[in-house]
Amino acid sequence: MMDITRDKDLRRFNTFRMDVKAACFIEYGSLEELDSIFARAQEFPQPFFHIGGGSNLLFTGDFPGTILHSGIKFIEVLDSEDRDVPEGKTVVRVGAGVVFDDFCLWCAGKGFWGPENLSLIPGEVGASAVQNIGAYGREAGDFILEVECYDTQDRSLVRIPVGECNYAYRDSFFKREGKGRYIVTAVDFLLTKEYSPVLDYGHVRESAVAAYGPGVVEGCRLTPGLMRDLVVSIRGGKLPDPKETGSAGSFFRNPFVSEEVYSNVERIAGKEGLGPVPHFPAGNLVKIPAAWLIDKCGWKGRKEGNAGVWHNQPLVLVNLTGEATPDEIMTLENKIISSVRERFGVELSPEVEHVPNIQ
């Protein structure tokens, strides 16, 4: 049953808990209902803007148009015989409105490898395919096979194979060329029960050995459930509980810089006794963790009015009191960007999408 609400309070639909409203809010439960919205689009305030769990958004004020939200929720194992699916793999189709971590929990319970390293990332399955969410050496695009979408221009259902999604770090076709045109209705994931944990990122292997012992890790006795539990524990120790503290998770992208810029950061760190600069080669560029840059600029744990930087993870901006305004969050954001630029010559950019500053 489609739910249409005017002058909708959006605090439940953005994890930052911004006290903002939308002129209209529509939650649909099927492709037919979604199509009916566009068939009578002139009846609703414009523009349309589709959200998932609101976990990667900062509403900068009341939204003047219509917010769309998917209520399409299902998880089903598909018959792979009529598809070009590698041996040992299984295709699982998931409705866009399913909470992504519920999908991770389902996979762990069924013994499927794939999304376990992304456990506890907030948001919904549809948004995971748009954002190409990632953590601990894995990205959603690594195990997506195909994305089912509603084409708002042609009012038709289309399937976009992973090769045409143009996945990159926190980026995809849906955030660029396809933005505003395609609404994800379901995602086909390519999973496996063959032993395939991803451990060689950061301190994941070390944490696994500490939690389960070297015999389990080196003896290939980890399970998707054990990996999920490990990731939940790691994330829980670093990030705020969204039920208690409003945030949008990682607020900034990790910057990819030239060798010249990296060398300059390394020179500054050496001169000021900041220790080694963590970095990851990325072709002709170098990735430097934004958290390290922000931390070395003294922002971790800082408060600015009702907003602040999380004390265990400087990449996360938070609504500390529950009363922070969009302006307070954006003021803090700009101060951090300026300080990192001035000290290290590195330009940070937000991962969080600012709404209604949409094109």
Side-chain angles (χ1 to χ4, degrees):
M1 184 81 179
M2 189 159 60
D3 179 29
I4 303 174
T5 308
R6 304 282 178 165
D7 198 29
K8 177 74 170 183
D9 186 331
L10 294 177
R11 277 175 290 191
R12 276 203 318 113
F13 294 92
N14 74 101
T15 58
F16 249 130
R17 298 183 192 169
M18 293 291 100
D19 185 8
V20 295
K21 295 181 178 181
C24 185
F25 181 93
I26 305 177
E27 182 171 88
Y28 58 90
S30 67
L31 176 64
E32 292 73 22
E33 290 182 352
L34 178 58
D35 184 55
S36 73
I37 295 169
F38 284 87
R40 45 192 276 226
Q42 71 281 358
E43 298 179 21
F44 305 111
Q46 301 293 319
F48 284 137
F49 185 69
H50 199 286
I51 67 170
S55 59
N56 199 51
L57 303 174
L58 173 62
F59 282 96
T60 61
D62 290 341
F63 187 73
T66 299
I67 297 290
L68 303 178
H69 181 253
S70 175
I72 300 175
K73 299 179 181 181
F74 66 86
I75 301 177
E76 62 180 9
V77 178
L78 301 185
D79 184 351
S80 302
E81 291 184 0
D82 60 343
R83 306 182 69 171
D84 186 18
V85 177
E87 185 177 352
K89 302 283 188 178
T90 301
V91 180
V92 176
R93 179 168 295 167
V94 188
V98 172
V99 172
F100 189 82
D101 191 54
D102 289 348
F103 168 57
C104 294
L105 180 62
W106 182 90
C107 289
K110 298 292 185 181
F112 284 121
W113 292 95
E116 59 283 343
N117 285 33
L118 310 186
S119 294
L120 218 60
I121 292 180
E124 297 173 357
V125 165
S128 76
V130 174
Q131 303 292 342
N132 190 25
I133 61 173
Y136 305 112
R138 289 286 268 170
E139 294 180 335
D142 295 339
F143 50 95
I144 286 176
L145 178 66
E146 193 171 65
V147 182
E148 178 189 276
C149 300
Y150 176 75
D151 184 334
T152 63
Q153 289 185 16
D154 295 340
R155 289 183 51 203
S156 62
L157 189 67
V158 297
R159 298 187 184 279
I160 302 177
V162 66
E164 296 177 17
C165 293
N166 297 333
Y167 284 124
Y169 172 68
R170 304 298 183 271
D171 199 12
S172 74
F173 161 81
F174 306 106
K175 296 183 72 173
R176 288 179 278 106
E177 303 95 326
K179 185 174 182 179
R181 176 169 179 172
Y182 298 99
I183 294 176
V184 177
T185 53
V187 182
D188 288 359
F189 292 99
L190 192 61
L191 309 177
T192 183
K193 288 193 174 183
E194 295 180 357
Y195 190 77
S196 51
V198 175
L199 296 166
D200 296 321
Y201 185 91
H203 301 289
V204 174
R205 183 179 294 276
E206 179 183 325
S207 298
V209 170
Y212 303 125
V216 171
V217 177
E218 304 306 329
C220 299
R221 300 206 305 273
L222 285 171
T223 65
L226 289 176
M227 276 300 299
R228 171 181 161 77
D229 290 345
L230 178 69
V231 170
V232 167
S233 176
I234 293 172
R235 288 182 65 85
K238 288 184 177 181
L239 303 176
D241 184 342
K243 296 177 183 177
E244 298 178 0
T245 306
S247 83
S250 298
F251 195 92
F252 297 100
R253 292 185 177 92
N254 290 316
F256 289 75
V257 303
S258 66
E259 289 281 356
E260 181 181 2
V261 171
Y262 167 71
S263 296
N264 185 55
V265 173
E266 195 174 38
R267 180 187 60 78
I268 293 170
K271 182 179 178 180
E272 299 183 9
L274 302 179
V277 180
H279 63 285
F280 304 90
N284 294 327
L285 300 175
V286 180
K287 181 173 78 171
I288 302 176
W292 185 89
L293 296 166
I294 296 167
D295 184 21
K296 296 309 178 183
C297 285
W299 284 102
K300 186 161 71 172
R302 288 260 301 269
K303 300 177 181 179
E304 294 275 329
N306 295 298
V309 180
W310 190 240
H311 60 278
N312 283 337
Q313 172 52 275
L315 201 56
V316 177
L317 306 191
V318 293
N319 180 355
L320 277 174
T321 66
E323 302 295 329
T325 65
D327 283 344
E328 285 181 298
I329 299 294
M330 289 188 290
T331 296
L332 178 58
E333 168 194 355
N334 291 329
K335 285 183 177 181
I336 291 171
I337 290 174
S338 294
S339 68
V340 171
R341 181 196 305 122
E342 291 169 6
R343 186 167 191 187
F344 293 112
V346 175
E347 189 73 22
L348 294 183
S349 60
E351 178 179 331
V352 171
E353 183 171 5
H354 294 49
V355 184
N357 293 337
I358 57 176
Q359 301 299 317

